[in-house]
């Protein structure tokens, strides 16, 4: 069964992302790894029984330990079938704070990474969930290190939020990147910050947090008890969501069952070129890594 058609013309893109999700779930089930549908993907499962009709991405959470296990299984250049797990390292920068599973037989060239010689296929985001310390000073330290990690890892101004907050964050990003200009120093800064922000013990914390995402999530700690596992329909499969997915979506979106205004029912990503049937390698020098 195919993803339902919709007025935005992105049903085929959603089909490709659903194929990647099915592959990801098969890996998790084979290796006993835990995950949850996250963000708008979780909201879509509750409200639409699948994708939000205008959504052009797919997000899943993993506990940090399982997230790192997945990297050991699939990362460091390994390719399983035509999928590859990608992550920013000291050698490659995806301008993205989290891992992605990429379909190497497709093309999705994001504007933020058009100058990078990386895997530009359609992808889903794999987002780590970390323990949030109970002590308020430790929470501030985690927040501070998460901001350093985010700026020095992405190395670009915020893209989506808009408004005064984005202006403040853009200014702060410009200042820090202006101070730390060397790529090696930026890598050292974010890798050290990452170690500091993920050091807390999952079993000793009452709350958990997504500290590698946008500002709203960075400010929001979720009770760990919400994150048991429960399967619900997502398109033509069943996928795992937090056991209290309703409370999670309420914390994230407020009245999540209400549709946003028409003017906000739009895709988020700024892309240079998308091709669902041809690999991104055909378009090097045309749509990415283009010489001035």
């Amino acid at each position: 069964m195919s993803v339902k058609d919709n007025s935005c013309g992105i049903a085929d893109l959603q089909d490709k992302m659903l194929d990647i999700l099915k592959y990801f779930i098969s890996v998790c089930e084979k290796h006993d790894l835990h995950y949850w549908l996250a963000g708008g993907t979780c909201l879509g499962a509750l409200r639409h029984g699948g994708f939000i009709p205008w959504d052009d991405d797919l997000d899943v959470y993993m506990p940090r330990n399982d997230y790192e296990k997945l990297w050991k299984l699939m990362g460091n250049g390994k390719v399983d079938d035509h999928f590859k797990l990608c992550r920013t390292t000291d050698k490659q920068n995806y301008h993205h704070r989290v891992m992605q599973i990429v379909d190497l037989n497709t093309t999705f060239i994001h504007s933020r990474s058009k100058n990078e010689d990386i895997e530009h296929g359609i992808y889903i985001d794999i987002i780590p969930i970390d323990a949030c310390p109970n002590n308020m000073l430790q929470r501030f330290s985690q927040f501070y290190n998460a901001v350093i990690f985010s700026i020095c890892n992405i190395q670009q101004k915020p893209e989506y939020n808009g408004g005064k907050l984005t202006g403040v964050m853009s200014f702060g990003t410009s200042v820090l990147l202006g101070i730390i200009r060397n790529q090696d120093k930026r890598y050292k800064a974010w890798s050290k910050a990452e170690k500091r922000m993920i050091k807390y013990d999952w079993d000793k914390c009452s709350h958990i947090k997504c500290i590698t995402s946008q500002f709203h999530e960075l400010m929001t700690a979720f009770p760990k008890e919400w994150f048991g596992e429960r399967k619900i329909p997502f398109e033509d499969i069943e996928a795992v969501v937090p056991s209290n997915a309703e409370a999670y979506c309420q914390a994230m979106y407020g009245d999540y069952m209400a549709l946003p205004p028409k003017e906000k029912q739009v895709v988020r990503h700024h892309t240079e070129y998308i091709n669902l049937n041809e690999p991104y390698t055909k378009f090097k020098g045309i749509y990415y890594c283009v010489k001035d």
Side-chain angles (χ1 to χ4, degrees):
M1 177 174 135
S2 184
V3 173
K4 51 189 171 293
D5 196 10
N6 58 66
S7 59
C8 293
I10 60 170
D12 290 336
L13 172 61
Q14 292 177 345
D15 271 337
K16 291 290 186 181
M17 292 189 292
L18 183 60
D19 287 342
I20 303 172
L21 176 63
K22 291 175 180 177
Y23 167 73
F24 167 75
I25 291 173
S26 72
V27 172
C28 288
E29 290 177 344
K30 180 178 179 181
H31 296 283
D32 194 27
L33 302 176
H34 301 279
Y35 77 92
W36 306 272
L37 299 186
T41 308
C42 181
L43 186 155
L46 291 179
R47 192 171 69 194
H48 302 275
F51 286 100
I52 296 173
W54 55 90
D55 209 353
D56 63 344
D57 66 1
L58 192 156
D59 298 331
V60 297
Y61 287 151
M62 295 188 83
R64 174 65 67 169
N65 285 345
D66 287 359
Y67 181 85
E68 299 299 343
K69 287 177 185 175
L70 183 68
W71 178 247
K72 289 179 180 178
L73 283 168
M74 291 181 58
N76 296 310
K78 300 172 189 171
V79 178
D80 192 339
D81 194 8
H82 58 272
F83 299 111
K84 183 177 178 182
L85 186 66
C86 300
R87 182 182 197 176
T88 290
T89 66
D90 59 332
K91 297 178 176 62
Q92 284 185 306
N93 194 331
Y94 292 84
H95 300 287
H96 202 33
R97 290 161 286 204
V98 301
M99 297 195 301
Q100 302 167 313
I101 297 182
V102 179
D103 182 339
L104 301 176
N105 292 336
T106 63
T107 302
F108 190 97
I109 301 171
H110 201 294
S111 298
R112 71 183 174 216
S113 53
K114 65 181 180 179
N115 296 322
E116 304 293 342
D117 191 7
I118 58 174
E119 296 78 11
H120 289 280
I122 293 168
Y123 62 88
I124 67 171
D125 286 328
I126 315 297
I127 304 168
I129 284 282
D130 288 285
C132 178
N134 299 324
N135 179 279
M136 293 307 296
L137 286 177
Q138 290 178 329
R139 285 195 181 192
F140 177 79
S141 175
Q142 185 181 58
F143 172 85
Y144 170 79
N145 282 290
V147 171
I148 299 299
F149 166 81
S150 179
I151 292 174
C152 291
N153 182 284
I154 293 182
Q155 301 184 27
Q156 291 180 353
K157 294 180 181 180
E159 184 175 20
Y160 302 125
N161 293 332
K164 293 182 180 179
L165 180 59
T166 296
V168 172
M169 294 173 66
S170 295
F171 176 76
T173 299
S174 298
V175 169
L176 184 59
L177 294 181
I179 295 171
I180 310 175
R181 295 180 177 274
N182 180 274
Q183 292 296 321
D184 288 338
K185 289 182 179 179
R186 288 178 180 179
Y187 166 73
K188 289 177 182 177
W190 72 251
S191 58
K192 287 180 180 178
E194 184 179 41
K195 289 176 183 177
R196 295 188 190 108
M197 74 187 192
I198 69 173
K199 67 182 181 180
Y200 302 101
D201 190 331
W202 181 281
D203 293 328
K204 293 181 180 179
C205 295
S206 61
H207 286 69
I208 56 179
K209 182 186 283 191
C210 176
I211 55 177
T212 57
S213 192
Q214 297 183 46
F215 192 79
H216 173 64
E217 283 185 272
L218 180 56
M219 296 295 292
T220 306
F222 307 111
K224 193 165 60 176
E225 63 195 35
W226 290 0
F227 281 74
E229 295 184 359
R230 144 186 166 212
K231 282 190 174 183
I232 65 173
F234 186 85
E235 300 298 342
D236 62 343
I237 62 173
E238 285 197 333
V240 176
V241 298
S243 52
N244 199 341
E246 292 81 4
Y248 162 74
C249 284
Q250 182 72 29
M252 286 283 288
Y253 304 108
D255 185 8
Y256 62 91
M257 292 302 287
L259 290 174
K262 274 287 184 183
E263 62 270 18
K264 292 189 177 181
Q265 297 180 20
V266 294
V267 298
R268 294 194 322 147
H269 290 101
H270 302 296
T271 54
E272 297 296 310
Y273 181 69
I274 300 173
N275 191 309
L276 305 182
N277 302 306
E278 295 186 283
Y280 63 93
T281 49
K282 292 186 65 173
F283 305 105
K284 184 177 180 180
I286 302 172
Y287 294 112
Y288 75 97
C289 290
V290 179
K291 294 182 180 180
D292 294 333

